[in-house]
Amino acid sequence: MTLSSLLHILEFVQLFVETNERLCFMNVSPGEVIRSLFYNKNNDSLITVSVYSSDSFSSLKCRSTRIEYIRRGKPDAGFALFESESLKWPGFVEFDDVNGKVLTYSAQDSIYKVFDLKNYTMLYSISDKHVQEIKISPGIMLLIFNRATSHVPLKILSIEDGTVLKSFNHLLHRNKKVEFIEQFNEKLLVKQESENLQILDVRNTELMEVSKTEFMTPSAFIFLYENQLFLTFRNRTVSVWNFRGERVTSFEDHMLWHPDCNTNNIYITCDQDLIISYCKASSDDHWAEGNAGSINISNILTGKCLAKINSTNHPLEADDCGCSSNCSKQKYSPVRSTVSEALEDITALFYDEERNEIYTGNRHGLVHVWSN
């Protein structure tokens, strides 16, 4: 989900916080569990991706609801999307806000389909049982095929119409597992087990390598398109790299709370100059209590920690539903938490750049707002 999509979804959170009223439940059917949300700026609607108890939560179902209906408390005024598609696991749906496209995969018949995000019309399909994975970048898609003994076949397609722009084989070390293949514009990043990182320029086939002792396989990437850099996450640490294979930033105080890099707890500003994360409290943090972490704000280009929200004993109010789902007024009763309690078990984090507020949610279902 992109930053702009999250920003518009947070409008609902803001309205809830300001009015203390629930707008509606987006779950419109019995046994429905919403897995993810996507704000479609093209038609001012919210897309829900759900699973249902009726089929043992095995198939994804998508639904589009205009924002005006949600504000009126009429979530059932939406309509179903991609009804012709079988999205049973390991099938999936992926929303691409940058290119304005939707990618679906039907595992049943091994067909990928690309839809227009504006009107949900199908643009083209890719039917090939040998496609192992698809990566999406601005304007293009990378098709990664099942590897051969000494190479992996790759194709670069136009995201608009599926035209093949380039088809080539990337040589591999025999009997070495491919740990990842990532696409960033014209750059291809390939890493095999116990081997150096390879950075290939697909325009001119220029290849450079980064020592395996310098670059170890991360658990996640975030590409910074504005700065032509990328972030790697490994063992709670964050590093910033350029495409010459150079580490440009190491952070002085930014040890992430989750060892496996839960990106729900990380926010990158639109200018891509700041990273805000849920972190482990430092050993010299005398305010830290129990299992409370901290919210750290760091400069991406320098690695300096600019600000930190620590545990204190000052009271903090968070709104939690204190009534039943059929309450006519749909009012909420405040639940009081200490800052230390609010900093425990955070599962989601968002920064509203316009309002200069940080929103956090925890495993208890509480939303806290941090503001100056």
Side-chain angles (χ1 to χ4, degrees):
M1 184 179 294
T2 65
L3 302 183
S4 59
S5 301
L6 279 169
L7 178 60
H8 285 87
I9 288 174
L10 257 291
E11 288 180 359
F12 304 118
V13 177
Q14 291 167 4
L15 187 59
F16 161 76
V17 170
E18 291 171 356
T19 66
N20 206 32
E21 295 181 1
R22 181 193 302 126
L23 293 176
C24 61
F25 286 105
M26 293 305 298
N27 311 61
V28 297
S29 302
E32 177 184 4
V33 176
I34 296 177
R35 297 287 300 274
S36 61
L37 300 170
F38 178 83
Y39 172 72
N40 188 352
K41 63 186 179 185
N42 295 283
N43 53 28
D44 197 32
S45 64
L46 189 68
I47 297 175
T48 55
V49 181
S50 303
V51 292
Y52 295 82
S53 58
S54 57
D55 70 345
S56 301
F57 308 104
S58 63
S59 300
L60 299 175
K61 303 291 183 182
C62 301
R63 185 177 179 83
S64 175
T65 309
R66 291 188 64 83
I67 299 304
E68 60 182 280
Y69 296 142
I70 297 175
R71 290 187 182 277
R72 293 180 200 163
K74 298 180 178 179
D76 53 351
F79 58 92
L81 300 175
F82 319 124
E83 289 184 284
S84 63
E85 305 309 301
S86 174
L87 301 179
K88 188 165 290 190
W89 190 89
F92 64 80
V93 58
E94 180 177 333
F95 300 96
D96 175 16
D97 196 29
V98 174
N99 295 302
K101 302 292 184 290
V102 183
L103 175 67
T104 65
Y105 174 61
S106 171
Q108 180 177 301
D109 45 19
S110 300
I111 294 179
Y112 296 87
K113 292 183 181 180
V114 177
F115 296 81
D116 192 321
L117 198 48
K118 296 185 183 70
N119 51 26
Y120 308 115
T121 57
M122 194 193 83
L123 301 177
Y124 56 91
S125 63
I126 301 168
S127 180
D128 193 323
K129 295 182 182 296
H130 301 294
V131 175
Q132 185 182 56
E133 193 175 3
I134 291 182
K135 304 282 187 178
I136 298 177
S137 289
I140 59 174
M141 287 196 307
L142 173 70
L143 271 59
I144 305 171
F145 293 83
N146 295 327
R147 68 172 289 180
T149 303
S150 59
H151 70 272
V152 56
L154 302 168
K155 282 184 182 179
I156 297 177
L157 276 59
S158 165
I159 192 72
E160 295 300 326
D161 57 14
T163 301
V164 177
L165 304 177
K166 190 178 182 69
S167 181
F168 60 103
N169 294 328
H170 183 75
L171 295 178
L172 298 174
H173 297 276
R174 293 172 178 266
N175 304 319
K176 291 292 184 73
K177 175 186 174 184
V178 176
E179 294 185 326
F180 65 79
I181 298 177
E182 295 288 340
Q183 174 83 24
F184 178 92
N185 293 340
E186 72 279 3
K187 302 294 186 181
L188 189 70
L189 279 62
V190 181
K191 179 74 169 65
Q192 287 185 260
E193 186 178 25
S194 304
E195 296 293 340
N196 295 339
L197 168 69
Q198 295 181 327
I199 303 177
L200 174 71
D201 191 317
V202 298
R203 298 171 303 179
N204 54 25
T205 67
E206 179 181 330
L207 181 68
M208 65 179 66
E209 294 196 359
V210 184
S211 169
K212 61 187 177 185
T213 58
E214 177 68 15
F215 187 97
M216 290 174 281
T217 301
S219 57
F221 292 86
I222 293 180
F223 291 108
L224 306 178
Y225 290 96
E226 296 295 325
N227 298 327
Q228 293 294 300
L229 301 169
F230 63 97
L231 303 178
T232 59
F233 302 86
R234 177 183 169 86
N235 296 336
R236 292 196 169 96
T237 62
V238 187
S239 298
V240 185
W241 303 78
N242 61 28
F243 288 92
R244 295 185 299 275
E246 301 165 336
R247 189 199 309 261
V248 297
T249 308
S250 294
F251 293 89
E252 63 179 13
D253 184 6
H254 212 93
M255 180 176 289
L256 301 177
W257 179 269
H258 295 282
D260 58 349
C261 178
N262 182 348
T263 52
N264 288 337
N265 289 335
I266 296 170
Y267 181 90
I268 308 292
T269 55
C270 291
D271 291 336
Q272 298 184 348
D273 57 344
L274 298 178
I275 180 171
I276 305 172
S277 307
Y278 181 46
C279 294
K280 298 280 286 185
S282 57
S283 57
D284 59 349
D285 183 1
H286 303 298
W287 292 105
E289 300 177 18
N291 294 320
S294 64
I295 299 171
N296 294 21
I297 304 169
S298 299
N299 186 294
I300 288 176
L301 299 179
T302 67
K304 296 290 184 183
C305 185
L306 305 178
K308 184 189 296 188
I309 299 175
N310 292 315
S311 301
T312 67
N313 290 318
H314 299 295
L316 180 74
E317 284 193 358
D319 287 336
D320 184 27
C321 181
C323 60
S324 62
S325 60
N326 59 0
C327 171
S328 59
K329 293 183 179 181
Q330 292 187 339
K331 292 290 184 180
Y332 288 76
S333 59
V335 174
R336 297 185 68 83
S337 306
T338 65
V339 172
S340 177
E341 290 170 338
L343 287 171
E344 291 183 3
D345 299 311
I346 289 177
T347 56
L349 180 151
F350 180 85
Y351 174 55
D352 185 336
E353 300 184 39
E354 292 183 2
R355 297 167 62 91
N356 193 30
E357 293 178 341
I358 295 175
Y359 297 80
T360 58
N362 62 23
R363 68 181 181 89
H364 301 295
L366 295 177
V367 174
H368 295 89
V369 183
W370 310 81
S371 175
N372 290 330

